[in-house]
Amino acid sequence: MLKARILGTGYDVPEDVLSNADLEKMVQTSDDWIVSRTGISYRRIACNGTATSDLAYRASRSALEEAGIAPQELDLIIVATMTPDMPMPAAACLLQHLLGASKAAAFDINAACTGFIYALATAESFLLSSKKYNHILVVGAEVLSRVVDFTDRNTCVLFGDGAGAVVLGKGEGENGILATYLGADGTGSGLLTIPAGGSRSPASQETLAQRMHYMQMQGSEVFKFAVKSIPECAARVLEEADLSTEDVDYLVMHQANIRILQAAAKKLSIPWEKVLVNIGNYGNISAASIPLVLAEAVDHKKFKTGDILLLVGFGAGLTTGASLVRWGR
Ligand code: UT7
């Protein structure tokens, strides 16, 4: 059967490191609280002048090189991000220009921290439904430090910047994307927001003074949603592919909080050794977190052909999604 396949992965993170000790000087917090409540020790922060498409570009170059695909061979570029360089044009168009991928169509997807899973599912649909699409670049990239309020200890300790990319192709056979699920529950849309800067509350002196251009989150509610939704999403894709949790070789979840990852793995009865974790070094990078942890694992030669990877995302919206992949080209 025809399947969409991951041909190459890549990632990029800024050089500057923000440690818990640095944050202790900025807000009333402690290394002990941050590590024990979130699992995060460091995050990377993009320097002034660096934007989402710059990180996306470097991650994409690595993914294209690994895939052995030239930018001119790309038919479509999808960037999952909630922090594009600017509201218009799409970061994907800026990336298309940087890459010189002149034949590729390009657009962004905003499904917050589930963005990469949404983009992957969209790319899969393009590949499987049309002969016009053979190679698609899917990127998750964020410069969240621009929308983080560094006076708010509830959020500023959590987020970082980075990008991850995959090149997708298609082919007959066993390997590739086996099943996909996407979900949304807009009743929870108020739990994680950037209230101003859009059409409801456009930028004004008042919105700036009220710090409404920064992320605001009801953390414990989002936490509960995540722990509940990860096993639900996982069950849907496993059922579709007629597999069980015992068949899963690696669980690749959005890196939001180590306690969420631990609780979800426990609920799924998937041993901790099978869970990919890099939150300690990068924090929560929203749409970039899944492709980044995936690309790092590829660099460490973790996967072998035939391994079953269960990718699960969750985030603002509230959105959820999962993708089940049999590894191999
Ligand atoms: O990626 C998108 C999805 N996002 C998520 O999945 C995030 C989900 N939520 C979380 O990860 C957790 O809810 C947080 C890490 C955000 C917060 O952890 P928590 O265990 O839920 O803490 P809490 O919000 O219930 O706060 C407990 C206490 C509060 O103090 P009081 O009211 O009990 O006196 C907070 O003010 O911890 C306090 N607190 C802090 N203390 C030191 C909150 N942030 C900090 C901090 N340092 N940075």
mmCIF file of all heavy atoms in Angstrom, residues 224-268:
data_model
loop_
_atom_site.group_PDB
_atom_site.id
_atom_site.type_symbol
_atom_site.label_atom_id
_atom_site.label_comp_id
_atom_site.label_asym_id
_atom_site.label_seq_id
_atom_site.Cartn_x
_atom_site.Cartn_y
_atom_site.Cartn_z
ATOM 1 N N LYS A 224 -3.899 18.627 33.081
ATOM 2 C CA LYS A 224 -4.892 17.542 33.199
ATOM 3 C C LYS A 224 -5.360 17.103 31.815
ATOM 4 O O LYS A 224 -5.508 15.914 31.538
ATOM 5 C CB LYS A 224 -6.101 18.022 34.026
ATOM 6 C CG LYS A 224 -5.841 18.014 35.512
ATOM 7 C CD LYS A 224 -7.085 18.443 36.265
ATOM 8 C CE LYS A 224 -6.806 19.654 37.109
ATOM 9 N NZ LYS A 224 -7.951 20.401 37.575
ATOM 10 N N PHE A 225 -5.587 18.099 30.946
ATOM 11 C CA PHE A 225 -6.018 17.793 29.574
ATOM 12 C C PHE A 225 -4.982 16.919 28.869
ATOM 13 O O PHE A 225 -5.325 15.938 28.201
ATOM 14 C CB PHE A 225 -6.233 19.115 28.822
ATOM 15 C CG PHE A 225 -6.252 18.966 27.324
ATOM 16 C CD1 PHE A 225 -7.359 18.438 26.672
ATOM 17 C CD2 PHE A 225 -5.158 19.348 26.563
ATOM 18 C CE1 PHE A 225 -7.365 18.291 25.294
ATOM 19 C CE2 PHE A 225 -5.154 19.210 25.186
ATOM 20 C CZ PHE A 225 -6.265 18.674 24.549
ATOM 21 N N ALA A 226 -3.709 17.273 29.032
ATOM 22 C CA ALA A 226 -2.634 16.543 28.345
ATOM 23 C C ALA A 226 -2.591 15.085 28.806
ATOM 24 O O ALA A 226 -2.549 14.161 27.986
ATOM 25 C CB ALA A 226 -1.291 17.228 28.603
ATOM 26 N N VAL A 227 -2.633 14.893 30.122
ATOM 27 C CA VAL A 227 -2.512 13.525 30.656
ATOM 28 C C VAL A 227 -3.705 12.663 30.225
ATOM 29 O O VAL A 227 -3.580 11.461 29.986
ATOM 30 C CB VAL A 227 -2.374 13.561 32.195
ATOM 31 C CG1 VAL A 227 -2.416 12.164 32.785
ATOM 32 C CG2 VAL A 227 -1.075 14.258 32.589
ATOM 33 N N LYS A 228 -4.875 13.307 30.087
ATOM 34 C CA LYS A 228 -6.067 12.568 29.642
ATOM 35 C C LYS A 228 -6.008 12.288 28.138
ATOM 36 O O LYS A 228 -6.347 11.194 27.682
ATOM 37 C CB LYS A 228 -7.306 13.413 29.989
ATOM 38 C CG LYS A 228 -8.619 12.761 29.663
ATOM 39 C CD LYS A 228 -9.753 13.610 30.262
ATOM 40 C CE LYS A 228 -11.081 13.276 29.624
ATOM 41 N NZ LYS A 228 -11.248 13.819 28.288
ATOM 42 N N SER A 229 -5.577 13.288 27.362
ATOM 43 C CA SER A 229 -5.712 13.165 25.899
ATOM 44 C C SER A 229 -4.624 12.300 25.255
ATOM 45 O O SER A 229 -4.880 11.682 24.219
ATOM 46 C CB SER A 229 -5.760 14.543 25.234
ATOM 47 O OG SER A 229 -4.546 15.208 25.408
ATOM 48 N N ILE A 230 -3.436 12.233 25.845
ATOM 49 C CA ILE A 230 -2.363 11.453 25.193
ATOM 50 C C ILE A 230 -2.789 9.981 25.023
ATOM 51 O O ILE A 230 -2.735 9.451 23.898
ATOM 52 C CB ILE A 230 -1.020 11.578 25.953
ATOM 53 C CG1 ILE A 230 -0.504 13.014 25.884
ATOM 54 C CG2 ILE A 230 0.030 10.630 25.363
ATOM 55 C CD1 ILE A 230 0.674 13.313 26.804
ATOM 56 N N PRO A 231 -3.235 9.299 26.090
ATOM 57 C CA PRO A 231 -3.654 7.902 25.895
ATOM 58 C C PRO A 231 -4.847 7.770 24.933
ATOM 59 O O PRO A 231 -4.926 6.796 24.187
ATOM 60 C CB PRO A 231 -4.041 7.448 27.306
ATOM 61 C CG PRO A 231 -3.360 8.395 28.224
ATOM 62 C CD PRO A 231 -3.302 9.693 27.510
ATOM 63 N N GLU A 232 -5.761 8.758 24.949
ATOM 64 C CA GLU A 232 -6.919 8.690 24.039
ATOM 65 C C GLU A 232 -6.471 8.749 22.578
ATOM 66 O O GLU A 232 -6.929 7.980 21.733
ATOM 67 C CB GLU A 232 -7.892 9.848 24.333
ATOM 68 C CG GLU A 232 -8.683 9.635 25.610
ATOM 69 C CD GLU A 232 -9.512 10.852 26.023
ATOM 70 O OE1 GLU A 232 -9.526 11.860 25.274
ATOM 71 O OE2 GLU A 232 -10.126 10.782 27.098
ATOM 72 N N CYS A 233 -5.562 9.700 22.281
ATOM 73 C CA CYS A 233 -5.045 9.833 20.897
ATOM 74 C C CYS A 233 -4.291 8.573 20.497
ATOM 75 O O CYS A 233 -4.420 8.092 19.369
ATOM 76 C CB CYS A 233 -4.051 10.987 20.797
ATOM 77 S SG CYS A 233 -4.787 12.569 20.917
ATOM 78 N N ALA A 234 -3.483 8.073 21.428
ATOM 79 C CA ALA A 234 -2.676 6.883 21.145
ATOM 80 C C ALA A 234 -3.589 5.710 20.804
ATOM 81 O O ALA A 234 -3.345 4.980 19.829
ATOM 82 C CB ALA A 234 -1.803 6.556 22.353
ATOM 83 N N ALA A 235 -4.661 5.551 21.583
ATOM 84 C CA ALA A 235 -5.580 4.426 21.356
ATOM 85 C C ALA A 235 -6.187 4.502 19.958
ATOM 86 O O ALA A 235 -6.349 3.484 19.287
ATOM 87 C CB ALA A 235 -6.674 4.447 22.418
ATOM 88 N N ARG A 236 -6.511 5.719 19.519
ATOM 89 C CA ARG A 236 -7.152 5.868 18.195
ATOM 90 C C ARG A 236 -6.246 5.403 17.068
ATOM 91 O O ARG A 236 -6.665 4.680 16.173
ATOM 92 C CB ARG A 236 -7.546 7.321 17.964
ATOM 93 C CG ARG A 236 -8.775 7.729 18.755
ATOM 94 C CD ARG A 236 -9.117 9.169 18.441
ATOM 95 N NE ARG A 236 -10.165 9.665 19.302
ATOM 96 C CZ ARG A 236 -11.451 9.723 18.957
ATOM 97 N NH1 ARG A 236 -11.827 9.318 17.772
ATOM 98 N NH2 ARG A 236 -12.344 10.206 19.801
ATOM 99 N N VAL A 237 -4.967 5.829 17.089
ATOM 100 C CA VAL A 237 -4.082 5.439 15.965
ATOM 101 C C VAL A 237 -3.682 3.965 16.058
ATOM 102 O O VAL A 237 -3.546 3.293 15.034
ATOM 103 C CB VAL A 237 -2.834 6.351 15.832
ATOM 104 C CG1 VAL A 237 -3.221 7.714 15.299
ATOM 105 C CG2 VAL A 237 -2.048 6.461 17.116
ATOM 106 N N LEU A 238 -3.516 3.476 17.289
ATOM 107 C CA LEU A 238 -3.157 2.054 17.441
ATOM 108 C C LEU A 238 -4.298 1.175 16.928
ATOM 109 O O LEU A 238 -4.073 0.187 16.221
ATOM 110 C CB LEU A 238 -2.838 1.737 18.908
ATOM 111 C CG LEU A 238 -1.486 2.274 19.401
ATOM 112 C CD1 LEU A 238 -1.398 2.220 20.920
ATOM 113 C CD2 LEU A 238 -0.324 1.487 18.788
ATOM 114 N N GLU A 239 -5.520 1.584 17.253
ATOM 115 C CA GLU A 239 -6.676 0.811 16.799
ATOM 116 C C GLU A 239 -6.767 0.829 15.271
ATOM 117 O O GLU A 239 -6.980 -0.205 14.633
ATOM 118 C CB GLU A 239 -7.950 1.385 17.423
ATOM 119 C CG GLU A 239 -9.137 0.470 17.253
ATOM 120 C CD GLU A 239 -10.415 1.070 17.818
ATOM 121 O OE1 GLU A 239 -10.341 1.886 18.747
ATOM 122 O OE2 GLU A 239 -11.489 0.718 17.279
ATOM 123 N N GLU A 240 -6.567 2.021 14.692
ATOM 124 C CA GLU A 240 -6.643 2.141 13.231
ATOM 125 C C GLU A 240 -5.617 1.235 12.540
ATOM 126 O O GLU A 240 -5.888 0.658 11.488
ATOM 127 C CB GLU A 240 -6.418 3.607 12.827
ATOM 128 C CG GLU A 240 -6.746 3.887 11.370
ATOM 129 C CD GLU A 240 -6.393 5.310 10.958
ATOM 130 O OE1 GLU A 240 -6.548 6.243 11.779
ATOM 131 O OE2 GLU A 240 -5.958 5.488 9.808
ATOM 132 N N ALA A 241 -4.439 1.110 13.151
ATOM 133 C CA ALA A 241 -3.375 0.300 12.535
ATOM 134 C C ALA A 241 -3.415 -1.154 13.005
ATOM 135 O O ALA A 241 -2.561 -1.950 12.625
ATOM 136 C CB ALA A 241 -2.019 0.909 12.857
ATOM 137 N N ASP A 242 -4.405 -1.459 13.864
ATOM 138 C CA ASP A 242 -4.535 -2.812 14.408
ATOM 139 C C ASP A 242 -3.271 -3.237 15.174
ATOM 140 O O ASP A 242 -2.778 -4.358 15.022
ATOM 141 C CB ASP A 242 -4.834 -3.798 13.259
ATOM 142 C CG ASP A 242 -5.543 -5.045 13.787
ATOM 143 O OD1 ASP A 242 -6.023 -4.989 14.932
ATOM 144 O OD2 ASP A 242 -5.565 -6.064 13.071
ATOM 145 N N LEU A 243 -2.754 -2.317 15.975
ATOM 146 C CA LEU A 243 -1.580 -2.598 16.808
ATOM 147 C C LEU A 243 -1.927 -2.292 18.264
ATOM 148 O O LEU A 243 -2.957 -1.668 18.547
ATOM 149 C CB LEU A 243 -0.393 -1.732 16.370
ATOM 150 C CG LEU A 243 0.201 -2.028 14.970
ATOM 151 C CD1 LEU A 243 1.257 -0.990 14.617
ATOM 152 C CD2 LEU A 243 0.792 -3.428 14.897
ATOM 153 N N SER A 244 -1.053 -2.701 19.190
ATOM 154 C CA SER A 244 -1.286 -2.405 20.601
ATOM 155 C C SER A 244 -0.073 -1.656 21.163
ATOM 156 O O SER A 244 0.962 -1.560 20.497
ATOM 157 C CB SER A 244 -1.500 -3.699 21.393
ATOM 158 O OG SER A 244 -0.258 -4.312 21.607
ATOM 159 N N THR A 245 -0.207 -1.184 22.400
ATOM 160 C CA THR A 245 0.899 -0.431 23.006
ATOM 161 C C THR A 245 2.165 -1.289 23.114
ATOM 162 O O THR A 245 3.268 -0.765 23.098
ATOM 163 C CB THR A 245 0.529 0.084 24.414
ATOM 164 O OG1 THR A 245 -0.045 -0.984 25.148
ATOM 165 C CG2 THR A 245 -0.420 1.246 24.358
ATOM 166 N N GLU A 246 1.980 -2.594 23.204
ATOM 167 C CA GLU A 246 3.156 -3.481 23.271
ATOM 168 C C GLU A 246 3.975 -3.467 21.988
ATOM 169 O O GLU A 246 5.163 -3.797 21.975
ATOM 170 C CB GLU A 246 2.723 -4.921 23.574
ATOM 171 C CG GLU A 246 2.409 -5.134 25.036
ATOM 172 C CD GLU A 246 1.445 -6.265 25.269
ATOM 173 O OE1 GLU A 246 1.460 -7.235 24.487
ATOM 174 O OE2 GLU A 246 0.661 -6.159 26.231
ATOM 175 N N ASP A 247 3.334 -3.087 20.885
ATOM 176 C CA ASP A 247 4.057 -3.026 19.602
ATOM 177 C C ASP A 247 4.899 -1.751 19.473
ATOM 178 O O ASP A 247 5.703 -1.632 18.553
ATOM 179 C CB ASP A 247 3.063 -3.058 18.432
ATOM 180 C CG ASP A 247 2.281 -4.367 18.412
ATOM 181 O OD1 ASP A 247 2.925 -5.419 18.461
ATOM 182 O OD2 ASP A 247 1.037 -4.317 18.370
ATOM 183 N N VAL A 248 4.662 -0.791 20.383
ATOM 184 C CA VAL A 248 5.343 0.507 20.251
ATOM 185 C C VAL A 248 6.801 0.393 20.710
ATOM 186 O O VAL A 248 7.083 -0.060 21.822
ATOM 187 C CB VAL A 248 4.606 1.586 21.088
ATOM 188 C CG1 VAL A 248 5.378 2.905 21.086
ATOM 189 C CG2 VAL A 248 3.193 1.789 20.553
ATOM 190 N N ASP A 249 7.730 0.801 19.830
ATOM 191 C CA ASP A 249 9.150 0.787 20.190
ATOM 192 C C ASP A 249 9.578 2.118 20.805
ATOM 193 O O ASP A 249 10.457 2.150 21.665
ATOM 194 C CB ASP A 249 9.999 0.495 18.952
ATOM 195 C CG ASP A 249 9.743 -0.922 18.434
ATOM 196 O OD1 ASP A 249 10.112 -1.866 19.148
ATOM 197 O OD2 ASP A 249 9.146 -1.069 17.350
ATOM 198 N N TYR A 250 8.989 3.223 20.327
ATOM 199 C CA TYR A 250 9.332 4.546 20.881
ATOM 200 C C TYR A 250 8.090 5.417 20.976
ATOM 201 O O TYR A 250 7.311 5.516 20.023
ATOM 202 C CB TYR A 250 10.388 5.246 20.013
ATOM 203 C CG TYR A 250 11.724 4.551 20.111
ATOM 204 C CD1 TYR A 250 12.138 3.676 19.111
ATOM 205 C CD2 TYR A 250 12.542 4.720 21.225
ATOM 206 C CE1 TYR A 250 13.345 3.005 19.213
ATOM 207 C CE2 TYR A 250 13.743 4.051 21.343
ATOM 208 C CZ TYR A 250 14.140 3.188 20.336
ATOM 209 O OH TYR A 250 15.330 2.522 20.450
ATOM 210 N N LEU A 251 7.938 6.048 22.126
ATOM 211 C CA LEU A 251 6.849 6.994 22.351
ATOM 212 C C LEU A 251 7.448 8.401 22.273
ATOM 213 O O LEU A 251 8.355 8.741 23.044
ATOM 214 C CB LEU A 251 6.225 6.730 23.731
ATOM 215 C CG LEU A 251 5.104 7.641 24.195
ATOM 216 C CD1 LEU A 251 3.934 7.653 23.217
ATOM 217 C CD2 LEU A 251 4.603 7.204 25.580
ATOM 218 N N VAL A 252 6.953 9.175 21.310
ATOM 219 C CA VAL A 252 7.545 10.492 21.016
ATOM 220 C C VAL A 252 6.487 11.558 21.277
ATOM 221 O O VAL A 252 5.691 11.887 20.404
ATOM 222 C CB VAL A 252 8.011 10.558 19.535
ATOM 223 C CG1 VAL A 252 8.867 11.796 19.308
ATOM 224 C CG2 VAL A 252 8.764 9.301 19.120
ATOM 225 N N MET A 253 6.480 12.077 22.504
ATOM 226 C CA MET A 253 5.422 13.027 22.872
ATOM 227 C C MET A 253 5.922 14.470 22.820
ATOM 228 O O MET A 253 7.125 14.723 22.941
ATOM 229 C CB MET A 253 4.954 12.732 24.298
ATOM 230 C CG MET A 253 4.216 11.426 24.434
ATOM 231 S SD MET A 253 3.761 11.062 26.149
ATOM 232 C CE MET A 253 5.283 10.416 26.810
ATOM 233 N N HIS A 254 4.973 15.396 22.689
ATOM 234 C CA HIS A 254 5.313 16.813 22.817
ATOM 235 C C HIS A 254 5.943 17.038 24.193
ATOM 236 O O HIS A 254 5.402 16.624 25.220
ATOM 237 C CB HIS A 254 4.048 17.650 22.647
ATOM 238 C CG HIS A 254 4.207 19.057 23.101
ATOM 239 N ND1 HIS A 254 5.277 19.833 22.713
ATOM 240 C CD2 HIS A 254 3.460 19.837 23.930
ATOM 241 C CE1 HIS A 254 5.175 21.024 23.288
ATOM 242 N NE2 HIS A 254 4.080 21.045 24.030
ATOM 243 N N GLN A 255 7.095 17.697 24.199
ATOM 244 C CA GLN A 255 7.884 17.854 25.426
ATOM 245 C C GLN A 255 7.399 19.093 26.216
ATOM 246 O O GLN A 255 7.961 20.177 26.098
ATOM 247 C CB GLN A 255 9.367 18.024 25.077
ATOM 248 C CG GLN A 255 9.910 16.943 24.151
ATOM 249 C CD GLN A 255 10.206 15.640 24.867
ATOM 250 O OE1 GLN A 255 10.991 15.605 25.804
ATOM 251 N NE2 GLN A 255 9.584 14.555 24.421
ATOM 252 N N ALA A 256 6.334 18.915 26.992
ATOM 253 C CA ALA A 256 5.768 20.056 27.723
ATOM 254 C C ALA A 256 6.170 20.041 29.195
ATOM 255 O O ALA A 256 6.372 21.098 29.797
ATOM 256 C CB ALA A 256 4.253 20.052 27.605
ATOM 257 N N ASN A 257 6.245 18.871 29.779
ATOM 258 C CA ASN A 257 6.528 18.751 31.208
ATOM 259 C C ASN A 257 6.869 17.284 31.464
ATOM 260 O O ASN A 257 6.110 16.400 31.046
ATOM 261 C CB ASN A 257 5.279 19.164 32.019
ATOM 262 C CG ASN A 257 5.536 19.175 33.508
ATOM 263 O OD1 ASN A 257 6.209 18.296 34.043
ATOM 264 N ND2 ASN A 257 4.996 20.168 34.186
ATOM 265 N N ILE A 258 7.963 17.024 32.136
ATOM 266 C CA ILE A 258 8.375 15.621 32.326
ATOM 267 C C ILE A 258 7.325 14.835 33.105
ATOM 268 O O ILE A 258 7.135 13.638 32.867
ATOM 269 C CB ILE A 258 9.757 15.518 33.008
ATOM 270 C CG1 ILE A 258 10.315 14.101 32.825
ATOM 271 C CG2 ILE A 258 9.691 15.849 34.492
ATOM 272 C CD1 ILE A 258 11.725 14.040 32.406
ATOM 273 N N ARG A 259 6.573 15.551 33.976
ATOM 274 C CA ARG A 259 5.541 14.836 34.747
ATOM 275 C C ARG A 259 4.381 14.408 33.843
ATOM 276 O O ARG A 259 3.742 13.388 34.084
ATOM 277 C CB ARG A 259 5.048 15.703 35.906
ATOM 278 C CG ARG A 259 6.121 15.891 36.996
ATOM 279 C CD ARG A 259 5.569 16.628 38.193
ATOM 280 N NE ARG A 259 5.188 17.980 37.862
ATOM 281 C CZ ARG A 259 4.010 18.535 38.162
ATOM 282 N NH1 ARG A 259 3.088 17.866 38.806
ATOM 283 N NH2 ARG A 259 3.755 19.782 37.809
ATOM 284 N N ILE A 260 4.108 15.193 32.794
ATOM 285 C CA ILE A 260 3.073 14.790 31.823
ATOM 286 C C ILE A 260 3.553 13.539 31.080
ATOM 287 O O ILE A 260 2.806 12.572 30.911
ATOM 288 C CB ILE A 260 2.783 15.929 30.813
ATOM 289 C CG1 ILE A 260 2.113 17.110 31.515
ATOM 290 C CG2 ILE A 260 1.911 15.418 29.655
ATOM 291 C CD1 ILE A 260 1.869 18.329 30.623
ATOM 292 N N LEU A 261 4.814 13.547 30.651
ATOM 293 C CA LEU A 261 5.353 12.407 29.910
ATOM 294 C C LEU A 261 5.316 11.148 30.788
ATOM 295 O O LEU A 261 4.939 10.063 30.320
ATOM 296 C CB LEU A 261 6.788 12.676 29.441
ATOM 297 C CG LEU A 261 7.075 13.971 28.658
ATOM 298 C CD1 LEU A 261 8.483 13.934 28.063
ATOM 299 C CD2 LEU A 261 6.071 14.206 27.558
ATOM 300 N N GLN A 262 5.699 11.312 32.058
ATOM 301 C CA GLN A 262 5.721 10.147 32.964
ATOM 302 C C GLN A 262 4.315 9.601 33.197
ATOM 303 O O GLN A 262 4.082 8.380 33.124
ATOM 304 C CB GLN A 262 6.351 10.538 34.310
ATOM 305 C CG GLN A 262 7.862 10.732 34.225
ATOM 306 C CD GLN A 262 8.447 11.506 35.408
ATOM 307 O OE1 GLN A 262 7.731 12.215 36.125
ATOM 308 N NE2 GLN A 262 9.745 11.391 35.612
ATOM 309 N N ALA A 263 3.369 10.514 33.445
ATOM 310 C CA ALA A 263 1.989 10.071 33.732
ATOM 311 C C ALA A 263 1.381 9.397 32.504
ATOM 312 O O ALA A 263 0.705 8.359 32.629
ATOM 313 C CB ALA A 263 1.141 11.271 34.164
ATOM 314 N N ALA A 264 1.631 9.950 31.319
ATOM 315 C CA ALA A 264 1.045 9.378 30.100
ATOM 316 C C ALA A 264 1.661 8.010 29.793
ATOM 317 O O ALA A 264 0.949 7.064 29.439
ATOM 318 C CB ALA A 264 1.243 10.332 28.929
ATOM 319 N N ALA A 265 2.986 7.905 29.939
ATOM 320 C CA ALA A 265 3.648 6.620 29.666
ATOM 321 C C ALA A 265 3.115 5.550 30.623
ATOM 322 O O ALA A 265 2.876 4.407 30.223
ATOM 323 C CB ALA A 265 5.159 6.773 29.818
ATOM 324 N N LYS A 266 2.897 5.961 31.885
ATOM 325 C CA LYS A 266 2.371 5.019 32.880
ATOM 326 C C LYS A 266 0.964 4.559 32.498
ATOM 327 O O LYS A 266 0.661 3.358 32.514
ATOM 328 C CB LYS A 266 2.357 5.705 34.252
ATOM 329 C CG LYS A 266 2.210 4.765 35.399
ATOM 330 C CD LYS A 266 2.454 5.456 36.715
ATOM 331 C CE LYS A 266 1.972 4.560 37.837
ATOM 332 N NZ LYS A 266 1.716 5.295 39.061
ATOM 333 N N LYS A 267 0.112 5.525 32.115
ATOM 334 C CA LYS A 267 -1.265 5.173 31.715
ATOM 335 C C LYS A 267 -1.271 4.223 30.525
ATOM 336 O O LYS A 267 -2.131 3.367 30.404
ATOM 337 C CB LYS A 267 -2.035 6.439 31.324
ATOM 338 C CG LYS A 267 -2.700 7.150 32.476
ATOM 339 C CD LYS A 267 -3.683 8.180 31.941
ATOM 340 C CE LYS A 267 -4.582 8.732 33.009
ATOM 341 N NZ LYS A 267 -5.675 9.541 32.460
ATOM 342 N N LEU A 268 -0.293 4.431 29.627
ATOM 343 C CA LEU A 268 -0.228 3.592 28.420
ATOM 344 C C LEU A 268 0.514 2.269 28.671
ATOM 345 O O LEU A 268 0.584 1.431 27.774
ATOM 346 C CB LEU A 268 0.498 4.351 27.301
ATOM 347 C CG LEU A 268 -0.297 5.456 26.599
ATOM 348 C CD1 LEU A 268 0.637 6.374 25.818
ATOM 349 C CD2 LEU A 268 -1.328 4.838 25.666
#
